[in-house]
Structures are given as structure tokens and as C-alpha cells.
Amino acid sequence: GDTQVVIDRLTQMAYVYRADKLIGAAHISTARQGHITPLGEWKVLEKRPFYRSKKYDNAPMPWMERIDEYGTAFHGGANPGYPASHGCIRLPMKFAEKVYGLTKVGSKVIIEG
């Protein structure tokens, strides 16, 4: 079945489903105060195994999967246990790599909470 990623901003958790079966979960870090991780239903628009931010000091974005035209993506990065990003969804590095291998351009992403 198709892979779907669900992001819960309230609990700072990511869940990965395949054909409605939970196959993985991890703690994440979304946007800190003053920045936005957008709610709603999205699709993976672009995937790159390594990318650098064009907005934020060339910051590394390993296992990047972009979901909107403004640059919001989920990728591997620091997870301090609370919202700390500029808007992206930071995943633990190994989890980001696994999710990257499970999704494709067009995979559904839901951001709630």
C-alpha cells in the first residue's frame, strides 16, 4: 500500500503508515515561536538525499522531502524535544533515512495538532 506520513505538532511526533498500518513513529521538532509549520494535507513534491537551505545559512537538510512551494520540508536534524525549527519538521537522522526510502513524490503528508 501507499505510505503516508502524519505529523502531530501538539505531541511533537511523526507517524508513518503503509496501507493504514502503523510502521514507524519518532519524536520530532517543528517550528519554534515566531515561525510556522503549516497545518493541512500535503504531498511530497521533491526529494533529495542531501540538500542545503536557501533561506537559513545554507543549513544542511539530509533526507529532505519538500511539501510546499515555500520550502517547508521534513528532513534529518536536531531534535531537542520541543519546537525549535524555522518551520521544517526535523526527524531523527536514521528515521529520516528510513522514511525517505518508504515515500515517493506524491506521498501524502498530514500535519495536525
Side-chain angles (χ1 to χ4, degrees):
D2 289 336
T3 300
Q4 176 177 293
V5 179
V6 177
I7 304 298
D8 187 331
R9 294 187 327 183
L10 186 63
T11 62
Q12 294 291 283
M13 289 290 295
Y15 303 93
V16 181
Y17 296 87
R18 180 177 280 161
D20 297 327
K21 180 180 178 185
L22 180 65
I23 59 172
H27 291 279
I28 61 168
S29 184
T30 58
R32 67 180 179 238
Q33 191 169 0
H35 296 273
I36 297 171
T37 299
L39 295 172
E41 289 192 14
W42 308 90
K43 292 187 182 212
V44 174
L45 300 176
E46 176 186 16
K47 293 176 59 155
R48 294 196 191 181
F50 188 80
Y51 190 73
R52 289 196 174 271
S53 172
K54 292 181 174 140
K55 291 181 185 178
Y56 299 106
D57 300 322
N58 216 25
M61 299 169 66
W63 309 113
M64 186 277 296
E65 300 192 53
R66 186 173 57 83
I67 61 167
D68 72 12
E69 63 275 10
Y70 303 107
T72 306
F74 53 95
H75 58 81
N79 282 278
Y82 53 85
S85 80
H86 287 106
C88 284
I89 299 109
R90 296 181 194 164
L91 308 174
M93 200 64 70
K94 286 289 186 188
F95 188 76
E97 182 179 2
K98 287 184 183 280
V99 173
Y100 189 91
L102 293 168
T103 59
K104 60 185 178 190
V105 171
S107 290
K108 189 175 185 180
V109 179
I110 299 170
I111 303 175
E112 56 190 24

